[in-house]
Amino acid sequence: MNPRYDVAIIGAGPGGTTTASYLAQAGARVLLLDKAEFPRDKTCGDALSPNALRILGDLGLLAELKNFGFRLNGVRLVAPDGSDLVAAIPQKPGLADHLYIAPRFQLDNLLLQHAIASGAEFKPAFRVTDVQVEKRQVSIVGKNRNSASQFSARVAVIAVGASISLLERVGLTSTPPKFALAARAYYDDLPRLDDLLEIRFDGVPLPGYGWIFPTSATSANVGAGFMKKSPNLPSTARAVLDQFLSHHPIKEKLSTGQRAGPIKSYPLRMDFATAQTFGERIVLVGEAAGLVNPFTGEGIDYAMESGQIAAGVLTRQLESGDFSLSTLRIYDKKLRARFHSLFVWTMRMRNLYMNEWLLTPLIRAANRERTVEKTILEVLLAYRNAIQALAPNTIFHVLRNWA
Ligand SMILES: Cc1cc2nc3c(=O)[nH]c(=O)nc-3n(C[C@H](O)[C@H](O)[C@H](O)COP(=O)(O)OP(=O)(O)OC[C@H]3O[C@@H](n4cnc5c(N)ncnc54)[C@H](O)[C@@H]3O)c2cc1C
């Protein structure tokens, strides 16, 4: 008997819903499952890069995004010593010269409704506990509230974000990845904010950063994230956020504000360089493949772009009926061609620069040298490989600004 669905997608975050939209638009029978009821919140900084806007534009969702998203036209980087760099978003052909902050409660629901309108069938409150690979299909086993249930499909896409229990179950993580930890809260009634994405390296343990991402002229998503690299560092993201919030400039900035809702924390996986991305009749999309930028912690655009790539590969495989490991490897090859070097060098850049000795001279050098400013911003936006930030010319300017 033929399976009822062509593709079962587990997880309806940006990775899963983008994959679902493109596959359903190409005519595939798509089942999309999520353990949550929607709309649902996702702990995030809510920042959408120009590349995320490009894919949202391709899906035809920019007009709706503008109904709830807040446009930012530049970036403010604050060094550990409190000095700062304010810069416009650099121009890149085909990409917007601005960012959006879009609360995930609304963004993820917009993407989900688009996947459903494209033809995907959505089942909420379905927690997948296993994916069993059989000769001609996969069986997706799980629980809908308390009742056990299962579905069959020709191939599965796992897009479960940073949660690794299902990946462990199906044997697609060999060693537990190292997670970064981050926490955020929303604030209302703030004094008028600039239209800038504010990333701060003061008041937090490094490697890590705190942020103030405006969701309107008087409200913001405020958070902090870090890599726990030494036992002396705080053990929770909540403790790091508390430290950031009590840091003098932040305390002052938020003093008239009201916290709206609880502080929430969640891990991030940034290990794409060594992560598995596929298995027999299974592909991994988004953060389930470790696709979160190791310097910025940004994962929405990577989730969407990997979903777009997966949908392209799977559409061809649905036509040919060939789901052998060697054909699924095409997906891994495409992902590696696009992201591997970027992740390896961004990780090296984080290891070199994200400390109190080099961040201050780096930001000072970017203020004085237009080429350094351009390099830093383009690397942060992943327009350029981070190898540029480690080039002798950049290091020369950083060392000149050390004193
Ligand atoms: C505090 C914080 C701040 C961040 N800030 C930013 C930012 O500003 N910009 C940015 O681009 N990125 C940011 N990120 C990263 C970003 O949130 C993620 O990388 C992104 O959400 C990954 O998308 P995804 O679709 O892969 O997974 P997710 O968005 O995590 O979606 C996974 C989905 O799978 C579902 N699921 C999980 N397990 C199961 C299961 N067993 N059965 C069924 N369903 C399941 C979940 O309910 C969820 O809906 C931040 C992350 C954190 C923690």
Side-chain angles (χ1 to χ4, degrees):
M1 203 172 76
N2 282 333
R4 185 159 151 211
Y5 299 98
D6 291 318
V7 187
I9 300 174
I10 304 150
T17 48
T18 302
T19 317
S21 285
Y22 283 112
L23 278 170
Q25 282 166 12
R29 298 165 302 160
V30 176
L31 173 67
L32 179 59
L33 301 159
D34 201 289
K35 64 183 181 187
E37 301 267 8
F38 275 64
R40 62 105 180 86
D41 196 12
K42 155 75 175 83
T43 303
C44 189
D46 304 333
L48 293 176
S49 68
N51 193 41
L53 298 178
R54 176 185 66 78
I55 302 171
L56 284 161
D58 193 57
L59 290 169
L61 295 175
L62 281 185
E64 281 166 272
L65 172 75
K66 287 174 187 165
N67 292 335
F68 61 89
F70 187 64
R71 177 178 162 146
L72 302 180
N73 295 306
V75 179
R76 180 166 188 238
L77 300 178
V78 182
D81 74 346
S83 58
D84 70 352
L85 169 77
V86 173
I89 305 293
Q91 304 269 353
K92 184 170 181 198
L95 292 182
D97 59 356
H98 52 268
L99 313 165
Y100 265 86
I101 303 301
R104 296 288 297 271
F105 189 80
Q106 285 132 309
L107 176 74
D108 287 20
N109 200 43
L110 173 66
L111 284 163
L112 172 64
Q113 296 313 322
H114 186 265
I116 295 169
S118 301
E121 189 178 325
F122 178 55
K123 291 201 188 300
F126 191 97
R127 179 186 292 274
V128 175
T129 52
D130 199 4
V131 178
Q132 292 165 359
V133 180
E134 292 149 27
K135 200 159 177 228
R136 290 179 204 287
Q137 63 176 38
V138 285
S139 288
I140 313 295
V141 180
K143 275 190 179 166
N144 180 214
R145 297 182 180 89
N146 280 329
S147 54
S149 176
Q150 74 180 62
F151 300 98
S152 59
R154 295 168 77 194
V155 63
V157 173
I158 301 186
V160 291
S163 159
I164 58 163
S165 50
L166 184 61
L167 296 181
E168 284 175 334
R169 173 81 200 163
V170 299
L172 287 175
T173 47
S174 33
T175 45
K178 270 199 170 158
F179 291 98
L181 300 171
R184 67 97 173 101
Y186 290 105
Y187 280 80
D188 290 336
D189 303 328
L190 297 170
R192 206 171 168 77
L193 297 163
D194 296 324
D195 59 347
L196 299 173
L197 187 87
E198 186 162 320
I199 293 180
R200 305 192 62 121
F201 301 104
D202 57 341
V204 288
L206 300 169
Y209 70 84
W211 69 82
I212 300 175
F213 293 168
T215 50
S216 77
T218 56
S219 60
N221 178 321
V222 180
F226 77 121
M227 286 297 289
K228 189 166 164 49
K229 286 222 156 173
S230 108
N232 304 330
L233 293 178
S235 56
T236 64
R238 170 70 199 244
V240 170
L241 180 58
D242 284 343
Q243 187 181 323
F244 182 62
L245 294 172
S246 59
H247 179 58
H248 177 65
I250 309 303
K251 204 170 171 179
E252 203 167 316
K253 209 163 180 163
L254 303 181
S255 59
T256 61
Q258 303 291 325
R259 180 147 64 77
I263 291 180
K264 289 190 180 177
S265 57
Y266 204 69
L268 293 104
R269 266 191 71 189
M270 304 170 160
D271 59 317
F272 168 70
T274 53
Q276 283 168 267
T277 65
F278 70 106
E280 219 171 309
R281 284 189 186 262
I282 298 175
V283 300
L284 310 185
V285 156
E287 204 169 332
L291 279 165
V292 174
N293 185 296
F295 200 93
T296 62
E298 191 204 333
I300 300 171
D301 68 352
Y302 297 91
M304 295 179 76
E305 191 171 338
S306 59
Q308 201 178 27
I309 295 170
V313 171
L314 291 176
T315 300
R316 276 185 292 282
Q317 288 171 347
L318 289 167
E319 281 161 12
S320 69
D322 179 0
F323 296 98
S324 60
L325 276 180
S326 59
T327 58
L328 284 176
R329 188 165 286 118
I330 294 170
Y331 170 64
D332 184 70
K333 279 198 173 145
K334 283 183 184 268
L335 279 190
R336 302 270 161 221
R338 173 79 174 98
F339 297 124
H340 191 77
S341 167
L342 188 130
F343 269 70
V344 167
W345 285 102
T346 304
M347 195 84 83
R348 287 179 187 161
M349 175 181 153
R350 185 186 74 194
N351 293 344
L352 178 72
Y353 282 114
M354 257 214 200
N355 55 66
E356 58 199 90
W357 306 282
L358 285 186
L359 272 171
T360 297
L362 178 70
I363 288 172
R364 216 178 278 151
N367 256 316
R368 291 181 183 158
E369 293 291 331
R370 178 82 184 97
T371 52
V372 178
E373 177 195 292
K374 200 165 170 327
T375 302
I376 298 309
L377 289 175
E378 292 188 350
V379 165
L380 289 184
L381 289 164
Y383 295 176
R384 277 202 216 193
N385 193 305
I387 199 168
Q388 300 284 330
L390 301 161
N393 187 40
T394 312
I395 292 181
F396 168 74
H397 286 300
V398 172
L399 294 179
R400 262 183 56 179
N401 283 281
W402 202 347

